[in-house]
């Protein structure tokens, strides 16, 4: 299916729905998805669902922070913060109701070095998690028939 014959020209990205307990990720992930789509596919991102050929619905279903310590004498000294997040996505053609994919899960893990202030490091790492999730989702969108693949 050549790109010129792709039935989808526009996409609406719904705001992320949080089913997992994590602060500050839904807005960041929604923005990352829109930016990655605008930058890396032939689809134009629109602000209203009524004007879109496709709709992307994303649920953040799991979020797992994990702090690791390398000090055997003091477990409070954190050196590595690992964040794992899973999103469940559906891409639907708004004209036909056809799902290109439905309830597909995407999981990413990000590890960063941190000090004893692990909470601040976690807050600062949320955009990294959101960016990696967005890239995985965009790759799946780009793999659909007739859509340009993610570079």
């Amino acid at each position: 299916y050549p790109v010129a014959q792709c039935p989808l020209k526009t996409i609406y990205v719904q705001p992320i729905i949080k089913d997992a307990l994590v602060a500050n990720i839904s807005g960041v992930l929604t923005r990352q998805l829109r930016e990655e789509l605008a930058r890396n596919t032939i689809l134009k991102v629109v602000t209203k669902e009524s004007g879109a050929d496709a709709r992307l619905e994303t649920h953040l279903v799991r979020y797992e922070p994990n702090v690791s310590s390398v000090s055997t004498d003091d477990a409070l000294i954190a050196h590595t913060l690992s964040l794992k997040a899973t999103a469940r996505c559906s891409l639907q053609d708004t004209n036909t109701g056809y799902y290109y994919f439905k309830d597909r899960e995407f999981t990413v893990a990000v590890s960063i070095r941190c000090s004893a202030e692990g909470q601040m490091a976690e807050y600062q790492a949320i955009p990294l998690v959101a960016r990696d999730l967005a890239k995985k989702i965009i790759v799946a969108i780009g793999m659909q028939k007739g859509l340009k693949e993610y570079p």
Side-chain angles (χ1 to χ4, degrees):
Y1 296 93
V3 172
Q5 293 180 6
C6 177
L8 302 178
K9 301 294 181 209
T10 58
I11 187 168
Y12 172 70
V13 179
Q14 286 187 322
I16 305 305
I17 300 164
K18 284 192 318 185
D19 297 332
L21 184 61
V22 57
N24 194 39
I25 197 169
S26 54
V28 175
L29 182 54
T30 301
R31 186 178 69 251
Q32 287 286 345
L33 280 167
R34 289 176 179 159
E35 288 175 3
E36 289 295 325
L37 275 165
R39 185 174 27 250
N40 294 300
T41 70
I42 61 168
L43 297 175
K44 179 182 176 188
V45 179
V46 296
T47 57
K48 294 184 180 177
E49 186 175 354
S50 60
D53 296 323
R55 175 176 54 91
L56 179 66
E57 180 180 323
T58 306
H59 291 255
L60 186 68
V61 293
R62 275 189 297 287
Y63 176 78
E64 302 164 8
N66 184 22
V67 178
S68 302
S69 173
V70 295
S71 174
T72 57
D73 297 335
D74 189 353
L76 296 177
I77 300 174
H79 291 281
T80 304
L81 174 65
S82 299
L83 304 176
K84 186 176 180 182
T86 302
R88 185 175 297 136
C89 301
S90 298
L91 179 65
Q92 183 180 29
D93 186 311
T94 57
N95 299 314
T96 65
Y98 171 78
Y99 280 93
Y100 292 92
F101 55 82
K102 186 173 182 175
D103 296 331
R104 183 182 293 179
E105 288 195 357
F106 301 90
T107 301
V108 297
V110 173
S111 294
I112 59 168
R113 293 192 47 82
C114 65
S115 63
E117 294 82 32
Q119 289 179 331
M120 180 56 97
E122 180 179 358
Y123 178 79
Q124 293 171 340
I126 291 289
L128 299 175
V129 173
R131 184 194 65 207
D132 287 357
L133 262 177
K135 285 184 177 184
K136 275 195 167 187
I137 295 166
I138 301 310
V139 167
I141 291 171
M143 298 298 282
Q144 303 310 304
K145 289 182 181 178
L147 297 178
K148 177 181 165 186
E149 289 189 27
Y150 187 85

